[in-house]
Amino acid sequence: MNLLPWRWRSPPLAGEFNPHRAPPPIRYPARMENIQQQIAALQKSVQRQRIAIFVLAGICTAGVLVGATKPIEDASFETITCGKLMVIDKDGKMRIAAGTLADGRATLLLSGKDEKTRISASTTADGNAELQLSDKDGTRRIIADTQANGVATLKFKDKDGKSRIAAGTTPDGFGELLFSDKDGKKRISAGTHDGAAKLVLSDKDGKLRIAAGTFADGNATLTLSDKDEKTRIAAQTKADGTVVLPIVDVASPKK
């Protein structure tokens, strides 16, 4: 314990730490102040560059998105080489598609605004070719095809997809035209082959009832059959002018 009164305490020596006195301000050399100013300017420049990079990246991204969603309106090309081609309308719906498949087929599809296929054309690796036309519901109504063996056919179908009219030719010169009813049963058949021409009419059960034909030798025949397809009337004219008109009754006798 210090017994001396406070006024007898020695004052602090020069340079001795005095907690009651504020420290003098730190003074940096001029060179250090210039370096700090340059660092601050550099930091501001880097910040501005970062902002510019972000803005540029946003513009590029927007351009890519717009280019991906908005088709090119005007473009000219001399040659386009691709495995598949798709054409969309202003609503982004596919309207035309063309391409080749691994099995050798080449296809072309044209669709309506509801994206239902309306026209289809294709070729196969084995030499067949087909053209199909569909109605607004997507039902195939007209089918035309040629086959590698020389056969060519044309079919017309109703709204239910059932064949109603069919025409065809074969490499050996045979040609035929068929008419079917709404149940798909053949009712009328007409054809030509090797100078002969025939016409056959069937009933609703598909049974032959009337047949008429001409032949390369000049003969012509006409037969009428009953509902059981039994010949009841037969008529014939020959090339020499002979006319035969027998009436054949082959009905079973009543017991």
Side-chain angles (χ1 to χ4, degrees):
M1 181 174 180
N2 191 355
L3 300 178
L4 294 176
W6 64 269
R7 60 179 178 272
W8 297 108
R9 294 178 183 175
S10 301
L13 300 176
E16 186 179 357
F17 173 74
N18 185 358
H20 302 288
R21 186 175 61 185
I26 300 175
R27 298 184 179 276
Y28 295 98
R31 184 177 180 183
M32 182 66 68
E33 292 180 357
N34 292 336
I35 293 175
Q36 289 181 343
Q37 292 176 358
Q38 292 177 2
I39 293 174
L42 182 61
Q43 290 176 344
K44 291 182 181 180
S45 177
V46 170
Q47 186 176 6
R48 288 196 296 268
Q49 289 179 359
R50 287 179 179 177
I51 295 174
I53 291 173
F54 285 138
V55 172
L56 181 60
I59 294 174
C60 292
T61 303
V64 171
L65 293 176
V66 171
T69 57
K70 185 178 180 180
I72 299 175
E73 295 181 356
D74 297 320
S76 298
F77 303 95
E78 292 184 1
T79 303
I80 299 178
T81 303
C82 60
K84 183 181 293 184
L85 176 66
M86 300 177 65
V87 180
I88 60 176
D89 59 16
K90 60 182 180 63
D91 298 322
K93 295 181 179 180
M94 187 187 71
R95 303 298 298 274
I96 301 174
T100 57
L101 304 179
D103 59 4
R105 286 185 295 166
T107 62
L108 173 64
L109 303 177
L110 284 78
S111 304
K113 62 180 181 179
D114 54 0
E115 294 187 284
K116 291 182 178 180
T117 300
R118 301 300 301 274
I119 300 176
S120 170
S122 64
T123 61
T124 62
D126 55 5
N128 298 338
E130 186 177 68
L131 176 64
Q132 299 182 11
L133 284 78
S134 304
D135 59 19
K136 61 182 182 62
D137 297 322
T139 302
R140 296 184 301 173
R141 302 297 297 273
I142 301 175
I143 303 174
D145 71 340
T146 60
Q147 301 177 15
N149 59 8
V151 175
T153 63
L154 176 63
K155 298 177 182 178
F156 296 85
K157 297 187 176 184
D158 59 19
K159 61 183 181 63
D160 297 322
K162 295 180 179 179
S163 179
R164 301 302 298 272
I165 302 174
T169 61
T170 61
D172 57 2
F174 181 80
E176 188 174 26
L177 178 64
L178 300 175
F179 294 85
S180 303
D181 59 18
K182 61 183 181 62
D183 297 323
K185 295 180 179 179
K186 298 178 181 179
R187 303 298 299 273
I188 301 175
S189 173
T192 61
H193 182 63
D194 288 341
K198 69 171 185 176
L199 175 65
V200 177
L201 286 76
S202 304
D203 60 18
K204 62 183 181 64
D205 297 323
K207 294 182 178 180
L208 189 150
R209 302 301 298 273
I210 301 174
T214 61
F215 304 92
D217 58 7
N219 295 341
T221 61
L222 173 67
T223 60
L224 286 77
S225 304
D226 60 18
K227 61 184 181 65
D228 298 322
E229 291 188 311
K230 294 179 179 179
T231 301
R232 303 301 298 273
I233 299 176
Q236 182 181 28
T237 61
K238 297 183 179 181
D240 59 5
T242 303
V243 177
V244 181
L245 185 60
I247 297 177
V248 182
D249 187 356
V250 294
S252 301
K254 295 182 180 180
K255 295 183 180 180

